[in-house]
Amino acid sequence: MDKALIVVIDGCAPQYLTKETAPNLFAAANSRGFVKTVKSAIPSVTNVNHACILSGRFPEDTKVVGNYYYNRKTKEEGFIEERGFMKAETILQAYKKEGKKTALLTVKGKVLGVYGEGADIGISVQTPDKELLNRLNLDDPPEVQSPESTEWIYKAALACIEKEDPDLVYCTTNDFVFHHYGPGTPEAKEQIYFADKYISKIHEIDPDRRIYITADHGMNQKTYLINFQTISDNKGLHLYCLPPLKDRYVENHIYQEGGILYIFVENDQEIPAFLEIAEETPEIEKIMTSTEAAKEFNLPESEIGDYVLLAAEGCAFGEVSGERLKTDQVRTHGSLYEREIPLLAINPLAPKNNYEYSKDIAAITMGIKKI
């Protein structure tokens, strides 16, 4: 396995990463690789797609179906932040098996917590290792939920490659800014400027390293939020509604709002009433059984409840007060509308047409997908 850098810009819809916002990266990719859009896995949320990008496999194999879990038998629920949830081998582990040096750098601590096995070097803005930062001559990191965290993690990636020269570096940011600012805003442009500046420097000092720049999911403005748990409760139904996007980073989505919902039906006799309510709710675009969703999106059927609801464009499921909220303050993801993401490749292992999903970066590298 050749030396590689995989950068996942959290929440980066293709409209953020353009020739105008990242001229250096586009020039390098167009001369020594390619630029295209690919698909994320569904749900288009962070944990799901890191699992896929790292392993080259769909959720049916990784078993990671969200940022939050619910155990129907025990009623246990909680955030997915530690080892044990990821069931597929990662590219970090594959490199490690070959005796190669690996590094995982992240703003969000949960990424290192869930996927850090196989990383010789682990750097997190949220949970920094002081000894390691001193070794790399890095200042203390800023707050996780800050624009500065993006520049800091790119600086860390540059320092890591300069001083430690790992064979594989996996680096990811936080989508705090993109949750609040759309493409074309100064704040969003600054985030891409940091990527353009530091990844270009890495390419300069290590011109033969394979570099892939993609996203875990896109991001869109949402105007209409619905609390389907409250709607069903008010109708006397006994459902458990699990939002796969739900995590601790409430500054990113204060209503835990996202474009997809897993429905666990406690009483099968209530299914007709549930379906009637869902079909009459204009904010819901698609109602699927778990069997249908598993087949269409390569999900593990046993982990996604009985039904999967997908929000209509401009809409999201959220933990709002009451049943509904109209707002101009929400940008989020999770649905089919955030599935399209960018992929810039410099010195790629395979031609452009071989990459359809973000997971194909690892799938091709690990030999899961044949060229």
Side-chain angles (χ1 to χ4, degrees):
M1 292 179 176
D2 299 327
K3 289 185 178 180
L5 166 66
I6 301 172
V7 177
V8 179
I9 305 177
D10 196 344
C12 186
Q15 295 79 8
Y16 286 109
L17 185 63
T18 67
K19 185 177 180 180
E20 290 68 38
T21 58
N24 295 312
L25 291 178
F26 268 71
N30 283 322
S31 65
R32 302 189 62 171
F34 61 81
V35 176
K36 69 178 298 187
T37 57
V38 294
K39 296 177 183 177
S40 78
I42 295 294
S44 50
V45 301
T46 296
N47 271 5
V48 172
N49 280 283
H50 280 305
C52 295
I53 298 168
L54 278 162
S55 68
R57 298 185 181 278
F58 282 116
E60 62 191 0
D61 294 316
T62 69
K63 307 303 182 188
V64 178
V65 296
N67 301 333
Y68 198 83
Y69 74 92
Y70 172 69
N71 186 313
R72 147 177 267 154
K73 293 181 180 179
T74 65
K75 308 300 183 185
E76 181 185 6
E77 59 184 281
F79 299 107
I80 295 176
E81 298 176 321
E82 64 278 337
R83 308 279 169 86
F85 290 94
M86 175 66 165
K87 303 302 183 184
E89 182 184 44
T90 69
I91 192 171
L92 293 163
Q93 293 167 316
Y95 264 74
K96 186 77 171 174
K97 279 184 179 178
E98 292 195 0
K100 295 182 180 292
K101 193 173 183 179
T102 61
L104 174 56
L105 293 79
T106 175
V107 173
K108 296 176 179 177
K110 70 175 184 178
V111 178
L112 186 59
V114 177
Y115 305 109
E117 187 175 347
D120 295 302
I121 300 168
I123 298 176
S124 164
V125 168
Q126 189 170 345
T127 53
D129 180 333
K130 291 281 191 177
E131 184 178 336
L132 180 56
L133 299 192
N134 291 335
R135 196 168 90 209
L136 296 176
N137 197 28
L138 291 169
D139 295 331
D140 288 341
E143 293 294 320
V144 170
Q145 307 290 22
S146 69
E148 294 78 20
S149 67
T150 297
E151 182 175 24
W152 191 93
I153 204 68
Y154 288 139
K155 281 184 179 179
L158 176 60
C160 185
I161 288 174
E162 284 181 320
K163 298 178 184 297
E164 301 285 337
D165 193 28
D167 297 281
L168 174 67
V169 178
Y170 188 89
C171 177
T172 180
T173 62
N174 178 18
D175 55 358
F176 170 74
V177 170
F178 296 155
H179 268 289
H180 295 86
Y181 299 97
T185 61
E187 293 84 356
K189 286 181 177 180
E190 182 184 52
Q191 294 290 292
I192 303 302
Y193 167 77
F194 293 145
D196 194 55
K197 176 181 177 180
Y198 290 99
I199 300 172
S200 294
K201 284 185 178 180
I202 291 171
H203 179 51
E204 288 174 11
I205 67 173
D206 196 355
D208 296 324
R209 183 180 287 266
R210 303 191 191 282
I211 298 177
Y212 302 93
I213 304 159
T214 189
D216 51 350
H217 53 76
M219 188 75 67
N220 279 310
Q221 189 81 28
K222 306 294 180 181
T223 304
Y224 301 98
L225 307 184
I226 63 165
N227 189 329
F228 195 76
Q229 184 73 67
T230 297
I231 290 173
S232 62
D233 289 349
N234 288 345
K235 295 291 186 179
L237 300 185
H238 300 84
L239 310 177
Y240 178 87
C241 301
L242 190 159
L245 177 140
K246 184 172 181 173
D247 63 21
R248 291 191 191 277
Y249 305 98
V250 292
E251 296 88 348
N252 291 359
H253 22 78
I254 60 173
Y255 303 109
Q256 300 289 11
E257 67 278 359
I260 190 169
L261 204 64
Y262 298 147
I263 304 296
F264 294 78
V265 180
E266 295 183 14
N267 184 347
D268 289 349
Q269 293 181 344
E270 295 181 351
I271 289 176
F274 151 69
L275 291 174
E276 182 179 355
I277 294 168
E279 288 165 358
E280 292 176 349
T281 302
E283 295 89 349
I284 296 174
E285 181 174 275
K286 198 167 187 178
I287 306 164
M288 308 177 76
T289 66
S290 57
T291 302
E292 292 168 337
K295 182 177 181 180
E296 183 165 343
F297 302 127
N298 302 101
L299 294 164
E301 184 176 345
S302 61
E303 305 296 323
I304 58 175
D306 302 297
Y307 289 87
V308 176
L309 303 182
L310 291 164
E313 188 171 10
C315 303
F317 304 100
E319 296 178 353
V320 301
S321 177
E323 294 188 356
R324 284 176 167 83
L325 175 69
K326 184 178 180 181
T327 177
D328 61 359
Q329 300 298 311
V330 166
R331 296 180 56 78
T332 193
H333 51 95
S335 75
L336 295 173
Y337 295 100
E338 292 76 48
R339 192 176 199 182
E340 187 178 77
I341 51 175
L343 174 58
L344 276 66
I346 303 169
N347 305 319
L349 188 60
K352 179 178 182 177
N353 290 342
N354 286 266
Y355 298 86
E356 182 182 0
Y357 295 90
S358 54
K359 74 172 187 65
D360 291 338
I361 298 167
I364 291 169
T365 303
M366 296 168 70
I368 298 167
K369 180 175 181 177
K370 302 303 179 184
I371 301 172

Coordinates of all heavy atoms in Angstrom, one line a residue, residues 9 32 85 114 185 221:
I9 N -13.7 16.4 4.7 CA -14.2 17.7 5.2 C -15.6 17.6 5.6 O -16.5 17.4 4.8 CB -14.0 18.8 4.0 CG1 -12.6 18.8 3.5 CG2 -14.5 20.1 4.5 CD1 -12.4 19.8 2.3
R32 N -3.0 16.0 -12.0 CA -2.4 14.7 -11.5 C -3.5 13.7 -11.0 O -3.2 12.8 -10.2 CB -1.3 14.9 -10.5 CG -0.2 15.7 -10.9 CD 1.0 15.8 -10.0 NE 1.6 14.5 -9.7 CZ 2.7 14.2 -9.1 NH1 3.3 15.3 -8.5 NH2 3.2 13.0 -8.9
F85 N -18.6 -0.7 18.2 CA -19.7 -0.5 17.3 C -19.3 -0.9 15.8 O -20.0 -1.4 15.1 CB -20.3 0.9 17.3 CG -21.0 1.2 18.6 CD1 -20.3 1.8 19.6 CD2 -22.3 0.9 18.8 CE1 -21.0 2.1 20.8 CE2 -23.0 1.2 19.9 CZ -22.3 1.8 21.0
V114 N -14.3 5.9 18.2 CA -14.9 4.8 17.5 C -14.0 4.1 16.6 O -14.0 2.8 16.5 CB -16.2 5.3 16.8 CG1 -16.9 4.1 16.0 CG2 -17.2 5.9 17.8
T185 N -20.3 32.3 1.5 CA -20.1 33.2 2.6 C -18.7 33.2 3.0 O -17.9 32.3 2.8 CB -20.9 32.7 3.9 OG1 -20.5 31.4 4.3 CG2 -22.4 32.6 3.6
Q221 N -30.0 23.9 3.6 CA -30.9 24.7 4.5 C -32.2 23.9 4.6 O -32.7 23.3 3.7 CB -31.2 26.0 3.8 CG -32.0 27.0 4.6 CD -31.1 27.8 5.6 OE1 -29.9 28.0 5.3 NE2 -31.7 28.2 6.7

